Amino acid sequence: MAPPDLPLFERDREQAVLSAVIGELRSGRPALVTVTGEPGLGQNELLRWAAGQARARGVHVLAARATSAEHELRYGVVAQLLAPEDRDIATRLFVAPQRPGGLPGLNHLLTACHDRPTLLVVQDVQWLDPASLRWLEALARRLPRAPLALLTSTTGTAIDRPEWSVGTPLTGLASTIELALPPLTTSGVSAAVRTVCGVPGDTDFTDALAQATRGVPAVVHEVLLRFTRTGCAPRVEHVEHLRALTAEVVGDHAAQALSELRDPVAVDVLRALAVCGDLLDFPLVCTLAGLHPVPEARLRATLMASGLLTPRDGSPPGHDAVVRARILEEMPAADRADLYARAARLAQRVAVADQGIAELLLRARPVGAPWAVATLRRGFAAALRSGRRDRATAYLARALDEPLRSEERARVELQLASVQMVTAPTAAERRLHGLIRSTGTGTGLRSQAVDLCLLGGDTRAARLAQPTGPGTLGDPAPCDADVPAPRRGSGTGSPPGRRARAVAGDATAPRGGNTSDPSHRDGSDEHPERTTTADNDATVSERDELATVGDRHELIALLRVARFLRHEETCPGVPPAPALPEHSHSPAVAGVRAWEHAMAGVHLEASRRLARAAFAPDPGGRPPLVTPRLFACRALFLTDDGDEAEAHLATLLNEAHRQRAAIAIAHVLAVRADLHLRHGRPDAAARDLAAAEAELPPARLHPLFVPYWASLNLVADLQNGRPDRAREIAARPVPSLSEECATSAYLLFARGVLARSEDDPQRARAYFRACGRWLLHYGCVNPAVLPWRSLAAEAAHALGDDAEALRLTREEVRLAARWGTRSALGRAELGLAVVIRENRTEHFRAAVATLSESPARTDYTRAVLELASAESAEAERRTALALTSRRASTAGGVAPGPLPGFSQALPAPAGVPPGRGAAPHPRPPAGWPALSPAEHETALLAASGLANREIATTLSVTTRAVELRLSGVYRKLRIRGREELRALRYGPEGG
C-alpha cells in the first residue's frame, strides 16, 4: 500500500475523471468507477483523494476497506460502510442468522441517497467476503434509480473482479469507468526525487531509481525517504547505495504481503513458484505444491491480488529476485531443501534444461540418484562454456554432496580443483593435497593431482606424494630396474622372469607386444589348459604392480619438475629428488628426461627422441600429464624442432579447451608465446600472452611463474616496438618467492636485453651475469636455453673488457658445438664475431651460414646486417688501397679495374660456404651507389629472402615503409622485382 502522504505524481488524467464523476453525482447521475493496477501504484491514495474532494463539494461519503484477514467475515465490508449510519448494524450483521435473499441495510441506504448524493468508496475489493460481494452487486443493479456512485480499487485481474467493474447489464444506465494506473515514467520519478530530496537528481541516479523500482510510486517514495535519511545527495556516485535500499524496501513489502496471505494452499503454491516458476508452467507448479481442491484460476487470482506476483507477457506469473528470496526465507531450512529436491525431480522428469535442474539441485538436499551427479556435471560444462566459473565450481561442489564411488568422487574433486586453481587456488590446493594423501585414489589420479598442483605453482605437492619406506620414491637405492620383488607369503604367482618383464616393461621385449618368440615364453605358456584361478589372480596382481610402478615413475618425473621450478634441496630436512629411472615406458619420464638432457646441453638426438616419446600413449592406458609434455615441447625448442613443438602445443591446447582447464590453457599459451619469440614472431607472441592472461589473470598467477611471464611480455613489447611498456614491466616488483625459482633467470635475461637496447652495457652485463649464475645454480649450461654468455660478452666488449668477452664467447661456442643445433651454434658464432678482432668478416660469414639453416630468423637477420656492415667497412679499405695503387701506376699506363665491394656487400646464399659461388670481382649494377642507407639496408634483407613483414619487424618500421623503399630500389637498379634482386647476390655471372 502506498504511504498516505505519497504525492499523486502523473495522475492528472485520473483525477480529472474522478472530479467529473463527483460533479455529475451532484447532478443525480450515478456511476461505477474501478481503479486497477499493481500494488503500490497508488489506487487507494487516489480513492482517498476522491473522497476528500467529494466531502469538500458536499457529497456524503461512506468508506470501507476489504482485507485478506476479513475475507471470511460475513458482511465485513458492509458493516464498515453502514456503521456511520447505524451504530448497531455490525451486531445485527455478524450475530443474526442470515436470511435467504436478505440484503441488510441496502434499502435504507438507497432511501437516504435520494435526499443527498452519496459516494461509496471501497478499497481492495479483491478481498471482499462473499456476502459483501453479493450486497454490492445488488447495489450496482439499483444504481440507475439513485444518485449514488460506487468507487472501488483492486489489484486483481478480470477473472476475480466483481461483475459490475467490467460493464455488464447489471449496471444498467449507470456510467461504468475503469482507470488502469500505469507506473511512473522517468519524468515522474525525477519529480519525485526533486520533491522528496529537495534538489534535482542526476540523470543516471534517476534512471537507476526508475529501473530498480519499476516506477512503482510506493517503492519510489519509501526508497527516497530512506535515502534522504542517510544524508546523501541524489548523485551518480550513490547509485549502488540506492540499489541496496531498493532491494531492502522491496523485500519489506514482500514480507508484509506474505504475512497478510492467509490461504495455506496459496502460500504453498507461492513457495513452489519462488523455487521453479521460471522453469515449470503454472499447472506443474501447482502439482509440486501438492493436491488441493482450489481451482487453478482462483489460485492465480489470489496470488496476483497479494501483489507478490506480476504478469509477464501473458506467461505464468514470475518473481523479482528479492521477492523470491523473502518468500523462501520464511520457510524452515529443511522444508526449503526438500522443496528444491522435489522440484529438481519434477524438472528432470519433464526434461528441463540441465542448467535449470542444476540450479535447483544447488539448494536441494542430496537426492541420491545417479542423474543428479550427471546433470550437475553437464551444468558445470555449460557454465564454463559461458564463462561462469564461479557457478561451474558451485555445481561440482554440490555434486560431491551426492553418494559417489570413491574413484568417481576423486575424479570430480580433480575436475573441481582444475577450475578452482583460477578462482580459488588455496581451496584447490587443499582439495588436491587430500587426493594426493588418499590411499584409495585410482590409477593415475594422484599423478594428475600433482601435475595440476605444479601448474598452479605448488611444488610441495610432489613431495606429499612421496611415500615412505624402502622401495619408494624416497628410497636411496637406484631406480633403474624398478622391478618389484615377489610378495612374501604368496603361494602362487608368475615366475620372477615374467613378472619382471610385465612390471618394468622389459627393454628386451618386442615393442609391439609380440610373444611368438620362444625366448619370451615360460613354462606356463606351453600348456594353456593348466591355467588355474591362481594364474588369473597372478595376472591381476601383475596389472596392479604395473600400475603401481607407473604411478612411481610419473611421481618421480613430477618431483624432478618441482625440483627444477624451486630448488629446495638446500633447505634442512628436504631429501634430494631421486634420479629418473633409466628404463621406463612412461611418457612423463621421457618428457622430463628430454628437458634435463637439454638443460645439460648433451645428447641432442636422445633429447629429441625422448621429447617425441613424451607424446606417445601410455602403455598402461594412463591419462597423459600436462607438465611433462610442456617440458618436452620446450626441449623441442632447443633441438630446433620448433614446428613439431608447435603442433604438439596445438594438440595440448585443444585438449585443455575440451577439459575446460583454464590454468592448462594459460600455460600452453605462454609456452607457445616463448616459441613465437624464438622464431621471430613477436606479434603472435603478444596475442598468445593476451589470451593466456584472459584465462589466468596476472593477479592469480603463482609467484613461481611471474618472472617467466613477465620476461615474455617484456621481450614481446620490446620486439613489437613498445619500449615504454617494456620498461614498465621491467620496473614492476616481483613477489619474494619469485626470486627463489628457476624462472627468475628469464626475467634477469629480459631486463638485460632491455638495458642492451637502451645502450647501457654496464647494467646489461650485470643482468646477464646474474642470469648465468642463476641458470648454473639450477644445472643449466646449454646456451640454447638463454644465450647469456654471448650477450654478456658483447656488453663486456663495449666496456673495453676484451679478455672476458673472448672467454665468454669461446665458452659459448664450445658448449653450443657440444649441443649441436644450428641455432645455438650460429648465435655463439655471431657473438664471437662481434667481439673478436681478427677475421671478423669470416666469423660473420660462418654465423650467417649456420643461422641460415636454423629457425632463429631474428638472429639470422642480425647476422646478415652485421656481415653487411663488416664487408662494407672492408670494401672501403680495399677501395682506398686500390685508389692509392691506381695513382701510383697511372704513369705506367695501367687501366683502372672495376670497383670491388658489391659482391661483399651482399651475403652468400644460404648454405654456401664463404668465398664460394661468387665471381671474384663482380661488377656492381648501375644505380647501386645511388641507393640511400635505408634502401641499401632493406635491399640486403630482401635479397636474403626475408618477407616484407619480417623486414619491417627487424628494422622497426611499417610494412608500407618497406614497400616504398623496395620500390625505390627497383627503380634505381632498373630491375623488376625481388627475384632479380636475389640474382644480384650471385654477381653478374650467376656464379
Side-chain angles (χ1 to χ4, degrees), residues 246-523:
T246 304
E248 182 181 331
V249 170
V250 171
D252 291 345
H253 283 207
Q256 180 180 356
L258 187 62
S259 65
E260 295 174 354
L261 192 60
R262 304 296 180 179
D263 187 353
V265 175
V267 172
D268 290 341
V269 174
L270 186 64
R271 290 170 173 173
L273 276 170
V275 167
C276 57
D278 291 340
L279 299 176
L280 305 176
D281 55 18
F282 195 76
L284 286 175
V285 171
C286 294
T287 302
L288 178 64
L291 298 176
H292 48 79
V294 183
E296 176 188 325
R298 186 63 191 173
L299 276 174
R300 189 191 298 267
T302 301
L303 295 176
M304 293 287 291
S306 71
L308 294 170
L309 299 179
T310 54
R312 294 183 180 176
D313 301 328
S315 59
H319 294 76
D320 291 327
V322 176
V323 176
R324 288 190 184 200
R326 283 301 181 98
I327 291 171
L328 295 175
E329 282 174 4
E330 302 295 326
M331 295 182 67
D335 294 346
R336 184 167 58 245
D338 181 70
L339 178 60
Y340 271 107
R342 290 189 287 112
R345 288 196 188 95
L346 181 59
Q348 195 269 340
R349 286 200 297 271
V350 298
V352 172
D354 288 331
Q355 279 195 280
I357 304 175
E359 284 293 320
L360 296 175
L361 289 171
L362 277 182
R363 300 167 181 82
R365 58 170 175 77
V367 298
W371 60 264
V373 176
T375 301
L376 286 166
R377 295 184 77 173
R378 289 194 297 270
F380 160 81
L384 280 185
R385 283 195 297 271
S386 60
R388 301 168 62 206
R389 287 177 180 161
D390 292 339
R391 213 56 177 171
T393 56
Y395 291 153
L396 279 192
R398 171 61 183 83
L400 293 173
D401 294 336
E402 297 290 333
L404 296 169
R405 293 181 291 106
S406 59
E407 185 172 351
E408 186 180 7
R409 179 174 296 277
R411 293 189 183 280
V412 174
E413 293 260 15
L414 187 68
Q415 194 174 22
L416 175 57
S418 69
V419 181
Q420 285 183 327
M421 272 296 182
V422 175
T423 59
T426 304
E429 287 182 9
R430 285 199 301 266
R431 196 176 299 279
L432 292 172
H433 288 181
L435 282 176
I436 293 168
R437 291 191 180 100
S438 175
T439 57
T441 305
T443 302
L445 289 179
R446 295 181 72 208
S447 301
Q448 287 181 281
V450 176
D451 182 40
L452 191 53
C453 282
L454 288 177
L455 289 175
D458 179 16
T459 57
R460 298 171 299 163
R463 297 200 178 276
L464 287 178
Q466 181 176 357
T468 58
T472 63
L473 293 185
D475 189 3
C479 301
D480 294 350
D482 289 304
V483 180
R487 292 175 297 173
R488 297 179 181 178
S490 59
T492 59
S494 301
R498 190 171 102 182
R499 180 174 299 182
R501 288 192 298 273
V503 174
D506 188 1
T508 61
R511 299 285 285 188
N514 182 15
T515 58
S516 61
D517 187 352
S519 64
H520 296 286
R521 295 180 181 174
D522 54 32

Side-chain angles (χ1 to χ4, degrees), residues 855-897:
R857 302 305 302 169
T858 303
D859 294 308
Y860 172 67
T861 302
R862 185 193 170 207
V864 169
L865 292 175
E866 294 282 3
L867 174 60
S869 177
E871 288 182 331
S872 210
E874 183 177 322
E876 289 175 2
R877 289 195 297 272
R878 291 181 180 178
T879 302
L881 291 173
L883 290 174
T884 302
S885 175
R886 186 184 314 167
R887 284 195 299 268
S889 59
T890 301
V894 179

Side-chain angles (χ1 to χ4, degrees), residues 646-665:
E646 190 168 6
H648 288 310
L649 287 172
T651 301
L652 279 172
L653 193 60
N654 291 335
E655 178 184 303
H657 276 297
R658 285 196 304 271
Q659 297 174 356
R660 309 291 175 187
I663 193 164
I665 295 171

Side-chain angles (χ1 to χ4, degrees), residues 412-694:
V412 174
E413 293 260 15
L414 187 68
Q415 194 174 22
L416 175 57
S418 69
V419 181
Q420 285 183 327
M421 272 296 182
V422 175
T423 59
T426 304
E429 287 182 9
R430 285 199 301 266
R431 196 176 299 279
L432 292 172
H433 288 181
L435 282 176
I436 293 168
R437 291 191 180 100
S438 175
T439 57
T441 305
T443 302
L445 289 179
R446 295 181 72 208
S447 301
Q448 287 181 281
V450 176
D451 182 40
L452 191 53
C453 282
L454 288 177
L455 289 175
D458 179 16
T459 57
R460 298 171 299 163
R463 297 200 178 276
L464 287 178
Q466 181 176 357
T468 58
T472 63
L473 293 185
D475 189 3
C479 301
D480 294 350
D482 289 304
V483 180
R487 292 175 297 173
R488 297 179 181 178
S490 59
T492 59
S494 301
R498 190 171 102 182
R499 180 174 299 182
R501 288 192 298 273
V503 174
D506 188 1
T508 61
R511 299 285 285 188
N514 182 15
T515 58
S516 61
D517 187 352
S519 64
H520 296 286
R521 295 180 181 174
D522 54 32
S524 62
D525 294 334
E526 296 176 0
H527 302 283
E529 68 276 4
R530 298 179 183 175
T531 301
T532 61
T533 305
D535 293 329
N536 294 333
D537 293 341
T539 303
V540 174
S541 175
E542 290 170 5
R543 287 199 299 268
D544 293 341
E545 290 174 351
L546 181 60
T548 302
V549 171
D551 275 338
R552 291 182 58 214
H553 286 189
E554 286 187 343
L555 292 175
I556 290 173
L558 295 172
L559 188 56
R560 300 290 295 184
V561 172
R563 176 185 178 275
F564 167 73
L565 290 176
R566 189 179 180 192
H567 211 334
E568 297 177 310
E569 295 177 356
T570 57
C571 301
V574 178
L580 290 169
E582 292 290 341
H583 304 291
S584 175
H585 293 320
S586 170
V589 172
V592 177
R593 184 177 287 280
W595 173 248
E596 291 189 351
H597 283 337
M599 289 276 290
V602 294
H603 310 310
L604 173 64
E605 291 303 325
S607 179
R608 180 180 285 125
R609 173 175 52 80
L610 288 168
R612 290 167 177 167
F615 295 93
D618 188 271
R622 304 164 63 80
L625 303 179
V626 176
T627 307
R629 289 186 289 169
L630 281 179
F631 276 89
C633 287
R634 294 174 70 178
L636 289 173
F637 295 177
L638 307 182
T639 61
D640 279 358
D641 296 296
D643 292 340
E644 187 175 349
E646 190 168 6
H648 288 310
L649 287 172
T651 301
L652 279 172
L653 193 60
N654 291 335
E655 178 184 303
H657 276 297
R658 285 196 304 271
Q659 297 174 356
R660 309 291 175 187
I663 193 164
I665 295 171
H667 280 285
V668 172
L669 288 170
V671 173
R672 194 168 70 174
D674 191 353
L675 172 64
H676 288 320
L677 289 176
R678 291 175 181 270
H679 287 193
R681 299 190 293 265
D683 51 347
R687 287 194 298 270
D688 274 351
L689 288 171
E693 291 181 359

